[in-house]
Each structure stands twice: as C-alpha cells, then as structure tokens.
C-alpha cells in the first residue's frame, strides 16, 4: 500500500512539480497565475470545440 | 367537500365550488404557464443539436454533485474531511465539482452571450443566469474561507482589505469563521439554488433561444420570439431532449 502511494506520488510529481512558489505571468498591470491562465485557455478551447465538433443525431431525425 | 359515501375526486381538478381558493388559483396559473409537456419536454428544436447547448445541463449536474458532497461534509465535519482518507476524497470531490461547475458555467455564459440569449422576451432568463454566476462566486469564496487550513487563513487575510475598502467589512467580516461558514452552507446555497431553479423554469417557459435568423427572414424569427412551444426559426423541427439547455 505504501509502495502504491509512492508510485502514485512519483507519477503525479513527474507530470506537475507542485513544490515551490506558484508561477505567475506579468503583462503590464495584468498579473495572473499560470494555473488560472491554463484553465482559461482550456475553457476557450472547449468553447470553440463545442461549436465546431458536430453533435451526434439519433436515427437521422432533426435538422 | 366529500362525505364517506362519495367518490373522491381523483383528477386533481377539484370541485367547481372550490375554484376560488388560493391553492386552486395558484395550481391553475402554474399549470397554464408550465404544462407538464413543457416542464419536462422530450423534444427540443433542431438547432439545440449542438455541443454548445450541453453546458447548461453540465453546470446543473456539477451543482448537484457540489450539493451532495457538501451535505456529506456537513454531516461528518472538519476533522473527518481533513484526516480520514474517505473524508479527503469527499472534500476533493466537493472542490473539483466546483471547478467543473464554474468551467461549464463560463462556457455556457460565453455561448449564451454570443447567441444574444436575452432575445425573444428572455431578459429575465439572462439576468437570473448572470446573478446566479455572481452569487456562485460568493459561495465559492466563502467556501475557500471555510476550509479550516492555512489556505483559508491566507485567503481571508488577503481578502479583508479588499472587503473593508468597499465598506462592507463591518457586516461581512471575512475573518469571522462562523459567519463565513453560515454564509457558505446556508445563505448562499439557498440563493444559488433558488436562482438556478427560477432560471431553469424560465428556460422551460420561454424556450431555448434560437440562432440568429438570416437578414431576409421574417421579423418574428429575427427577434427570436417564442411561439406556443418555445420554438422558432428555420430549423424548428424537433429532436429528442437529452438534458440540454
């Protein structure tokens, strides 16, 4: 069980290093954390994907 | 009124002489405004067949998980959610469902903004949605203050200057844990659920906003005014509903 936890920690740790202070982006008077910037970017991607990806229709009915 | 020998009225329509009662009038008005087939529709206009219409229902689903996990956290308390593995798991579910809630709500908001979803007598639908978003921000904020850890201490001491600068600090003290907890688990959830409930009922009442009509379309389609079924526009052929809004 302890070994499983260590494997999990190393896997997560290899993806994102959560040790240390947060990283921020400074652009003029705008300051935003990288984490928040990533979430906003994902929302923009999902928004355009939701518009562009065709919606599956049932049984050939609909438009 | 019925006696023991009379057959009870089973239709729910009541007796004619009771039609002046407040409950009968309210029931009649509610059924007239939102008949069952409109309250729980199994068909939607064809233009709803797009992923962008999924995010309203996704927001509602996430809100359901937020409420259920919040109830579980309230039952067992802080020592449970901080120290036990199950408590940590439910605590994480509560936090991540809030993340999904806001993520889906923002995409829903963007979609409705670019559709000008206030068209066709849907201003109240738009406004209740916007106010729900703002109140939800307050609910999430007081949630961060209620974590009972160093993060909540940091958030509260950072926020107090901002709140005090607005003049609201005298009645809304972010360093008062008891007050913030009550706002988080009683007041703001009640407001959010009430607003979301009205928002969904208005969606059912006015229908889902149609796409913008071509420039040469009739005026009714251009304004997006709902007809008796809440369906307008060139693509008003119905498709099955799967919880989209």
């Amino acid at each position: 069980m302890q070994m499983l936890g260590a494997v999990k920690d190393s896997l997560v740790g290899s993806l994102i290093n959560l040790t240390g202070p947060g990283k921020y982006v400074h652009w003029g008077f705008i300051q935003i954390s990288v984490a928040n910037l990533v979430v906003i970017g994902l929302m923009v991607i999902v928004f355009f994907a939701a518009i562009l990806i065709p919606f599956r229709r049932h049984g050939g009915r609909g438009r | 009124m019925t006696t023991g020998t009379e057959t009870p009225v089973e239709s729910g329509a009541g007796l004619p002489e009771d039609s002046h009662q407040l409950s009968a009038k309210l029931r009649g008005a509610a059924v007239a405004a939102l008949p069952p087939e409109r309250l729980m529709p199994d068909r939607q206009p064809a233009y709803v067949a797009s992923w962008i219409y999924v995010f309203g229902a996704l927001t509602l689903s996430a809100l359901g998980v937020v409420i259920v996990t919040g109830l579980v956290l309230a039952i067992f308390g802080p020592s449970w959610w901080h120290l036990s593995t199950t408590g940590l798991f439910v605590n994480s579910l509560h936090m991540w469902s809030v993340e999904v809630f806001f993520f889906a709500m923002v995409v829903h908001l963007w979609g409705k903004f670019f559709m000008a979803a206030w068209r066709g007598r849907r201003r109240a639908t738009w406004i209740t949605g916007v106010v729900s978003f703002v109140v939800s921000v307050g609910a999430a904020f007081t949630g961060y203050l209620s974590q009972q850890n160093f993060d909540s201490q940091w958030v509260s001491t950072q926020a107090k200057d901002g709140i005090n600068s607005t003049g609201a600090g005298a009645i809304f003290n972010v360093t008062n844990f008891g007050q913030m907890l009550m706002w988080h688990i009683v007041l703001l959830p009640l407001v959010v659920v009430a607003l979301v409930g009205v928002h969904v009922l208005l969606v059912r009442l006015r229908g889902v906003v149609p796409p913008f009509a071509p420039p040469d379309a009739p005026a009714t389609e251009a304004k997006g005014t709902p007809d008796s079924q809440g369906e307008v526009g060139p693509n008003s052929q119905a498709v099955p509903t799967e919880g989209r809004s």
Side-chain angles (χ1 to χ4, degrees):
Chain A
M1 198 67 185
Q2 197 174 4
M3 190 176 168
L4 193 67
V7 170
K8 186 192 73 177
D9 290 346
S10 64
L11 278 175
V12 174
S14 63
L15 290 173
I16 305 165
N17 182 13
L18 296 174
T19 307
K23 295 179 176 60
Y24 287 81
V25 174
H26 300 268
W27 187 34
F29 64 91
I30 296 171
Q31 176 182 312
I32 186 169
S33 70
V34 172
N36 281 340
L37 197 60
V38 167
V39 171
I40 292 169
L42 285 174
M43 286 193 294
V44 172
I45 291 168
V46 169
F47 175 72
F48 283 105
I51 293 171
L52 297 174
I53 295 175
F55 193 84
R56 187 172 63 87
R57 279 173 278 163
H58 296 276
R61 299 191 64 177
R63 61 187 169 184
Chain B
M1 289 180 62
T2 59
T3 63
T5 57
E6 294 175 349
T7 305
V9 177
E10 295 178 354
S11 66
L15 298 171
E17 61 267 30
D18 294 336
S19 60
H20 65 282
Q21 290 182 356
L22 180 60
S23 58
K25 288 179 180 173
L26 284 174
R27 182 182 62 234
V31 171
L34 278 170
E37 62 273 16
R38 181 178 283 193
L39 189 63
M40 298 285 285
D42 50 10
R43 296 273 152 175
Q44 288 285 358
Y47 53 77
V48 176
S50 164
W51 285 109
I52 198 66
Y53 288 97
V54 170
F55 288 87
L58 185 58
T59 308
L60 282 177
S61 306
L63 179 61
V65 179
V66 170
I67 292 169
V68 170
T69 52
L71 288 171
V72 176
L73 292 175
I75 290 168
F76 293 103
S79 58
W80 178 76
W81 81 56
H82 278 308
L83 299 176
S84 76
T85 51
T86 312
L88 285 165
F89 178 70
V90 175
N91 194 15
S92 296
L93 275 182
H94 190 64
M95 196 277 283
W96 283 107
S97 55
V98 171
E99 301 284 333
V100 174
F101 173 72
F102 276 98
F103 192 105
M105 186 160 50
V106 168
V107 176
H108 178 63
L109 170 71
W110 289 347
K112 296 304 167 185
F113 176 78
F114 287 111
M115 290 176 202
W118 49 83
R119 289 175 295 142
R121 298 168 59 213
R122 294 181 180 85
R123 277 173 294 186
T125 313
W126 170 260
I127 289 168
T128 50
V130 170
V131 177
S132 301
F133 179 79
V134 173
V135 176
S136 298
V137 171
F141 171 60
T142 52
Y144 280 110
L145 298 176
S146 305
Q147 294 176 99
Q148 290 204 312
N149 57 15
F150 288 126
D151 187 33
S152 58
Q153 288 184 25
W154 172 258
V155 173
S156 63
T157 50
Q158 293 299 301
K160 70 176 173 52
D161 296 332
I163 299 288
N164 289 343
S165 69
T166 67
I171 55 171
F172 188 81
N173 182 2
V174 294
T175 59
N176 182 343
F177 170 73
Q179 187 190 18
M180 293 304 105
L181 184 66
M182 291 297 109
W183 276 81
H184 181 64
I185 66 173
V186 180
L187 299 176
L188 292 173
L190 281 175
V191 177
V192 170
V193 170
L195 283 169
V196 169
V198 173
H199 182 71
V200 172
L201 287 178
L202 284 168
V203 171
R204 294 299 186 224
L205 188 66
R206 302 292 185 207
V208 181
V209 71
F212 283 105
D216 56 345
T220 305
E221 291 183 6
K223 285 183 176 180
T225 307
D227 63 8
S228 60
Q229 298 300 313
E231 298 171 8
V232 296
N235 300 318
S236 57
Q237 184 181 352
V239 295
T241 297
E242 287 184 350
R244 295 185 289 273
S245 62

